[in-house]
Amino acid sequence: MTDYRNQKCVIRTNRAGVFFGTLADYDRTTRTAELHNTRRLWYWDGAASLSQLAVEGVKKPQNCKFTIVVPQMQVEEVIEIIPCTEAAIKNIENVTAWEK
């Protein structure tokens, strides 16, 4: 398996949803990831899939619901890790934090 540590990635979990952040560590046995500077991606508009999101970002950032940045987080039941391109990183980081 490729080591994506210290890279910004889109992480999909089985039950907790989708996250964007720097992958600090990943345990393959427990499928647990430690993430730094993380945002939960609750809703996105303008990307057909997580693969497109990780490569291109979103086309309609004003419609997205991305949380504030959390400095450190651990997520379990990781089922997908997709490294992001520089274009996607810039795009995702520029989406305004969603507040209700």
Side-chain angles (χ1 to χ4, degrees), residues 1 8 13 15 23-24 33 36 47 60 70 72 74-75 78 98:
M1 178 176 175
K8 294 193 181 201
T13 65
R15 296 185 184 162
L23 182 63
H36 292 170
K60 299 179 182 178
V70 176
Q72 187 172 359
Q74 182 174 308
V75 294
V78 172
W98 173 59

Side-chain angles (χ1 to χ4, degrees), residues 30-83:
T30 63
R31 297 182 355 206
T32 301
E34 181 181 334
L35 306 173
H36 292 170
N37 300 315
T38 305
R39 299 180 82 177
R40 186 184 307 261
L41 308 183
W42 189 75
Y43 174 83
W44 56 92
D45 193 359
S49 68
L50 294 181
S51 300
Q52 184 178 10
L53 182 68
V55 173
E56 298 177 355
V58 296
K59 305 249 188 290
K60 299 179 182 178
Q62 70 279 7
N63 296 341
C64 294
K65 295 180 179 178
F66 295 175
T67 66
I68 61 170
V69 175
V70 176
Q72 187 172 359
M73 178 183 294
Q74 182 174 308
V75 294
E76 299 178 357
E77 296 186 46
V78 172
I79 55 177
E80 192 169 22
I81 301 172
I82 309 170

Side-chain angles (χ1 to χ4, degrees), residues 2-18:
T2 304
D3 186 356
Y4 298 125
R5 280 183 287 195
N6 300 313
Q7 293 185 48
K8 294 193 181 201
C9 298
V10 171
I11 309 290
R12 182 166 65 114
T13 65
N14 188 36
R15 296 185 184 162
V18 177

